[in-house]
């Protein structure tokens, strides 16, 4: 029930049609949207006088200026508070929402359709959070903690390797809103969307060759030894970790320590699938030594000797990253 100019109006028409019956953008629009927005997308409908504010007119210049694709995705999925626009996330799946938005933008707003496959995948699965221009959607900057990755930030360019981005799409990012897509996208689609992001948004990123093979499991040598011939002492590393690092990373290395909820972004979960495939001994050593800019993770190389860093890295590796693997000598 929504408040209109003429009093309380029962919005029964938006729920009368069965879910999943529509198959084209035109069908979905006619079934779910036309009753308010009008058959021609101009807001001229039988119910317009009963709704305050009135339904959106998609045909004017104002709509083309104000309605980014990410905003339209959010509006259909979550509704528009203070209006009669309800959430359709339980009535339409992501593909149907994507289809009807493309129909509205093409049919009524006369905007060019998405061209490449990688771009299509990005628009469908990523732009609602990461933004149409890869610099984080406005709503997500304050609505999600931590906010989604800004692909255009030059300071983060070196972090966005093909391997890391592929792993993030496949497995998600624990402690963030980034979900795993391994059941939604196949290997070719993952490759295409990663290539599109890197070639379009990441500043001066090395372009991934078109022939780059689909990478579901980044190849990292998990048996690689510590750098510089170091050998970590797991007991000394445990004492340091449980005396210092657990506050953020947790006693079990899951990123859920007593201070974790105050950290943005959340501390690393050493037991996550991504970490267990990418963080070998050299990676851990360098991460501890250099810290992580933009987070609360300090550069321990300023206060610890190389041997102490190797001790902590060895403890983390054997206890959390690969606790059931055969230990390297």
């Amino acid at each position: 029930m929504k408040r209109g100019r003429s009093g309380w109006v029962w919005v029964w028409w938006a729920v009368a049609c069965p879910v999943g019956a529509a198959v084209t953008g035109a069908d979905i629009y006619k079934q779910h949207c036309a009753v308010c927005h009008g058959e021609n997308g101009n807001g001229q409908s039988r119910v317009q006088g009963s709704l305050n504010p009135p339904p959106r007119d998609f045909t004017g210049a104002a709509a083309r200026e104000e309605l980014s694709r990410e905003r339209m995705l959010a509006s259909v999925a979550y509704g528009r508070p203070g209006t009669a626009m309800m959430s359709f996330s339980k009535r339409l799946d992501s593909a149907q929402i994507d289809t009807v938005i493309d129909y509205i933008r093409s049919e009524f707003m006369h905007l060019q359709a998405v061209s490449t496959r990688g771009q299509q995948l990005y628009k469908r699965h990523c732009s609602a959070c990461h933004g149409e221009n890869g610099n984080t959607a406005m709503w997500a900057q304050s609505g999600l903690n931590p906010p989604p990755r800004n692909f255009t930030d030059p300071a983060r360019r070196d972090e966005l390797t093909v391997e890391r981005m592929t792993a993030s799409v496949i497995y998600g990012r624990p402690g963030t809103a980034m979900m795993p897509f391994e059941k939604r996208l196949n290997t070719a689609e993952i490759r295409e969307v990663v290539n599109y992001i890197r070639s379009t948004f990441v500043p001066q990123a090395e372009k991934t060759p078109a022939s780059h093979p689909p990478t579901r499991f980044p190849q990292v040598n998990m048996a690689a030894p510590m750098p510089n011939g170091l050998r970590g002492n797991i007991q000394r590393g445990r004492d340091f970790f449980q005396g210092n690092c657990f506050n953020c990373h947790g006693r079990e290395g899951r990123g859920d320590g007593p201070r974790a909820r105050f950290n943005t972004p959340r501390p690393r979960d050493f037991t996550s699938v991504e970490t267990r495939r990418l963080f070998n001994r050299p990676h851990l050593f360098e991460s501890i030594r250099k810290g992580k800019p933009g987070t609360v993770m300090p550069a321990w190389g300023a206060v610890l000797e190389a041997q102490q860093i190797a001790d902590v890295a060895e403890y983390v590796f054997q206890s959390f990253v690969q606790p059931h693997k055969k230990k390297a000598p």
Side-chain angles (χ1 to χ4, degrees):
M1 192 166 62
K2 297 292 180 180
R3 182 72 172 180
R5 291 193 182 99
S6 301
W8 292 101
V9 177
W10 287 98
V11 191
W12 57 269
W13 48 82
V15 299
C17 298
V19 179
V23 292
T24 70
D27 289 335
I28 297 171
Y29 181 86
K30 181 178 180 180
Q31 189 175 72
H32 296 283
C33 316
V35 68
C36 292
H37 293 284
E39 292 185 2
N40 298 315
N42 57 6
Q44 302 298 310
S45 65
R46 290 174 296 172
V47 303
Q48 61 173 319
S50 301
L51 301 179
N52 185 18
R56 167 69 70 169
D57 174 5
F58 297 120
T59 64
R64 287 190 289 273
E65 293 177 3
E66 297 173 11
L67 298 182
S68 65
R69 197 170 188 280
E70 66 189 60
R71 172 170 168 171
M72 295 177 72
L73 281 167
S75 295
V76 176
Y78 307 115
R80 299 287 296 177
T83 77
M85 180 64 189
M86 64 177 63
S87 167
F88 281 84
S89 60
K90 294 183 179 180
R91 304 179 183 280
L92 301 175
D93 61 31
S94 59
Q96 290 172 318
I97 292 174
D98 189 75
T99 298
V100 74
I101 287 175
D102 282 344
Y103 171 77
I104 293 170
R105 292 175 68 82
S106 174
E107 184 72 13
F108 305 131
M109 300 171 69
H110 305 294
L111 296 173
Q112 187 175 3
V114 176
S115 55
T116 69
R117 180 60 173 160
Q119 188 179 14
Q120 290 173 347
L121 292 167
Y122 180 84
K123 294 291 186 183
R124 173 173 295 181
H125 298 286
C126 316
S127 65
C129 293
H130 290 285
E132 287 190 342
N133 299 314
N135 56 357
T136 308
M138 291 185 63
W139 76 269
Q141 292 178 14
S142 57
L144 297 177
N145 184 19
R149 167 73 67 174
N150 175 2
F151 297 121
T152 67
D153 184 358
R156 299 290 177 263
R157 182 192 63 192
D158 293 341
E159 298 177 13
L160 297 178
T161 62
V162 174
E163 291 77 16
R164 170 163 177 166
M165 294 179 69
T166 301
S168 295
V169 177
I170 296 171
Y171 307 118
R173 301 287 297 177
T176 77
M178 179 64 187
M179 65 181 66
F181 281 84
E182 61 181 335
K183 295 183 179 180
R184 299 188 181 195
L185 302 177
N186 60 37
T187 53
E189 290 172 328
I190 291 173
R191 177 190 62 193
E192 289 167 358
V193 74
V194 169
N195 285 351
Y196 171 75
I197 293 170
R198 289 176 57 77
S199 64
T200 306
F201 304 129
V202 179
Q204 300 178 354
E206 179 182 353
K207 304 301 184 288
T208 308
S211 60
H212 188 277
T215 307
R216 290 195 73 78
F217 304 104
Q219 299 299 308
V220 174
N221 180 10
M222 298 306 290
M226 291 288 176
N228 304 320
L230 293 167
R231 297 179 63 180
N233 181 294
I234 191 171
Q235 185 58 51
R236 289 199 299 263
R238 179 189 181 281
D239 293 341
F240 185 89
F241 183 94
Q242 298 297 347
N244 297 275
C245 312
F246 89 94
N247 282 303
C248 293
H249 291 287
R251 295 289 185 188
E252 303 299 323
R254 300 184 183 277
D256 58 356
R259 296 181 186 172
R261 63 192 181 94
F262 301 109
N263 296 353
T264 302
R266 295 293 293 270
R268 166 70 58 177
D269 175 0
F270 295 119
T271 69
S272 70
V273 175
E274 179 203 16
T275 300
R276 287 179 169 173
R277 291 197 178 276
L278 298 179
F279 277 53
N280 57 10
R281 289 178 172 88
H283 192 138
L284 285 165
F285 182 91
E286 290 303 312
S287 296
I288 296 169
R289 184 176 72 86
K290 295 180 180 179
K292 187 173 179 61
T295 76
V296 299
M297 176 65 185
W300 285 101
V303 294
L304 297 181
E305 296 179 357
Q307 181 59 58
Q308 293 174 298
I309 294 174
D311 294 342
V312 179
E314 187 66 27
Y315 171 71
V316 171
F317 184 80
Q318 290 198 32
S319 300
F320 311 131
V321 178
Q322 295 205 345
H324 304 302
K325 301 293 183 180
K326 183 179 179 180
K327 309 303 188 295

